[in-house]
Amino acid sequence: MQKSSSNLSLGPGGLDLTQAFFKPIHSAAPPSPTKRHTKISVIGAGNVGMAIAQTILTQDLADELVLVDAKAEKLRGEMLDLQHAAAFLPRTKIIASVDYSVTSGSDLCIVTAGARQIQDESRLNLLQRNVALFQKIIPPLAQYSPESILLIVSNPVDVLTYVAWKISGFPSNRVIGSGTNLDSSRFRFLIADHLDVSAQDVQAFIVGEHGDSSVALWSSISVGGVPILSFLEKQQIAYEKETLANIHKAVIGGAYEVISLKGYTSWAIGYSVANLARSILRNQRKIHPISVLARGFYGIEGGDLFLSLPAQLGRVGVLGVANVHLTDEEAQQLRESAKTILEVQNQLKI
């Protein structure tokens, strides 16, 4: 399939009428060399990839959006469907192609391609079906956009982020996984729902594996700046650990429930990834629980691995990992989560 873009020529024989339609003003200065053109490439035009693309468009995060997928007809259909909404969206050049050369010069490459998760299937069980795919996807992205940031969304995201890092040869700050950014949103929603407050007023992190061994950092939860557990203790309000554990179970089971009901997840991950893209491309220096190279943090040892930690994001990718206080129990659970990932990762040959 030839690449298609949102730029169409009008006039006889495809004549470009831009020069005839507009007359330049006198004594005009050339365009500023400092003006930035932001380009995002989304690899995979499935439900997740298109939800991300749609959210990026509505939030005006890119000047140019590129879609890449192996299914040429579906890809062109998705591109046209987005282009036809141009009158209702911020102006963005939209391009689609099966050829990775179209991603050249991307600031951010978002990888969503992968086998669809089957109902009740563990994310880690998807690994073998996706590693081979990444060996085809990552090299051309690194070749055509050597200065880009790779944002991995495909599951199992932690191991595949490690795979992308190894294959690309990029520095670790420029390879990140969407990790538990969405898990933490589910966590904040459930806590807000219990307290009848806005989820935006809840600060709470899920860290570790994006999966069954994730860790809820109850000790650092605050609502409106008030630390929840210490507040309950000072007010002598009893709470049961079982209640907290059930909320965490609901977070872990959230994706499985959505998949069982509608067949896939899309909208929440679309907003989550666009949230990360905004922090990166606009250099917002916000802290997100994302999958990063974790060895040496919070006592995690045993080898290179990626899992979610609260990390600060900016224009160069990961700026640093926040030194959040963990209880001894939380730190141990985090190290156990790291072991879970390493056990699977060590079986890989990259």
Side-chain angles (χ1 to χ4, degrees):
M1 182 183 91
Q2 296 295 319
K3 74 175 183 179
S4 302
S5 78
S6 53
N7 284 353
L8 299 176
S9 297
L10 300 176
L15 177 66
D16 186 354
L17 296 181
T18 304
Q19 298 300 323
F21 196 75
F22 294 100
K23 293 182 179 180
I25 63 173
H26 296 291
S27 303
S32 169
T34 60
K35 187 174 181 180
R36 187 164 190 92
H37 176 88
T38 303
K39 182 175 180 177
I40 299 177
S41 291
V42 177
I43 315 304
N47 296 311
V48 171
M50 294 314 300
I52 292 170
Q54 188 266 349
T55 311
I56 285 171
L57 286 173
T58 57
Q59 295 189 6
D60 196 14
L61 298 180
D63 300 295
E64 185 173 352
L65 177 66
V66 173
L67 304 175
V68 177
D69 197 279
K71 298 178 180 179
E73 291 186 1
K74 181 181 188 301
L75 182 62
R76 178 169 174 77
E78 294 287 9
M79 179 198 70
L80 291 173
D81 208 5
L82 291 178
Q83 288 178 354
H84 295 167
F88 317 116
L89 294 169
R91 185 173 185 267
T92 304
K93 182 179 181 181
I94 303 171
I95 293 176
S97 178
V98 297
D99 187 343
Y100 281 84
S101 64
V102 77
T103 65
S104 180
S106 295
D107 298 284
L108 178 65
C109 293
I110 302 171
V111 181
T112 71
R116 180 180 292 182
Q117 188 175 10
I118 301 170
Q119 183 176 342
D120 298 326
E121 180 184 26
S122 167
R123 291 182 178 93
L124 292 177
N125 288 339
L126 287 171
L127 179 59
Q128 296 302 329
R129 294 194 283 148
N130 283 307
V131 171
L133 183 61
F134 266 51
Q135 291 172 333
K136 298 178 181 178
I137 290 174
I138 302 301
L141 293 178
Q143 175 189 350
Y144 290 114
S145 301
E147 301 301 321
S148 73
I149 294 169
L150 292 178
L151 173 50
I152 309 303
V153 183
S154 311
N155 278 319
V157 67
D158 301 301
V159 179
L160 289 179
T161 304
Y162 168 81
V163 170
W165 173 59
K166 295 293 287 185
I167 294 174
S168 68
F170 281 11
S172 60
N173 64 295
R174 290 201 285 116
V175 183
I176 64 177
S178 55
T180 56
N181 196 55
L182 176 52
D183 305 67
S184 297
S185 176
R186 293 184 178 117
F187 194 33
R188 293 166 65 187
F189 160 72
L190 290 170
I191 294 168
D193 198 42
H194 275 268
L195 299 176
D196 196 22
V197 298
S198 168
Q200 294 187 0
D201 288 328
V202 178
Q203 288 294 316
F205 290 130
I206 297 288
V207 296
E209 179 205 357
H210 173 56
D212 298 343
S213 71
S214 66
V215 181
L217 300 185
W218 289 102
S219 65
S220 62
I221 294 176
S222 65
V223 177
V226 179
I228 287 297
L229 294 191
S230 61
F231 171 80
L232 294 177
E233 291 171 357
K234 288 179 181 178
Q235 297 296 318
Q236 296 183 342
I237 299 174
Y239 65 90
E240 295 181 355
K241 280 197 171 184
E242 184 179 354
T243 301
L244 306 185
N246 287 337
I247 293 176
H248 186 205
K249 287 179 182 178
V251 171
I252 294 173
Y256 297 120
E257 183 178 9
V258 173
I259 291 169
S260 71
L261 292 170
K262 60 178 275 190
Y264 55 89
T265 60
S266 58
W267 300 120
I269 188 62
Y271 281 104
S272 174
V273 174
N275 178 246
L276 298 176
R278 178 184 294 275
S279 290
I280 292 168
L281 297 173
R282 297 192 176 171
N283 198 34
Q284 292 193 329
R285 308 178 77 85
K286 290 178 64 177
I287 297 172
H288 298 269
I290 53 168
S291 193
V292 298
L293 186 60
R295 186 174 66 172
F297 294 106
Y298 300 104
I300 296 172
E301 300 295 343
D304 291 331
L305 79 154
F306 282 68
L307 54 65
S308 286
L309 298 174
Q312 187 183 43
L313 287 181
R315 196 60 187 75
V316 297
V318 179
L319 302 173
V321 173
N323 189 22
V324 176
H325 171 73
L326 305 185
T327 65
D328 292 341
E329 182 181 5
E330 289 168 345
Q332 181 58 35
Q333 289 174 345
L334 182 59
R335 289 190 289 269
E336 290 298 323
S337 186
K339 288 180 182 178
T340 299
I341 295 171
L342 275 172
E343 286 174 1
V344 177
Q345 186 176 291
N346 289 338
Q347 299 174 19
L348 301 177
K349 293 181 180 179
I350 303 176

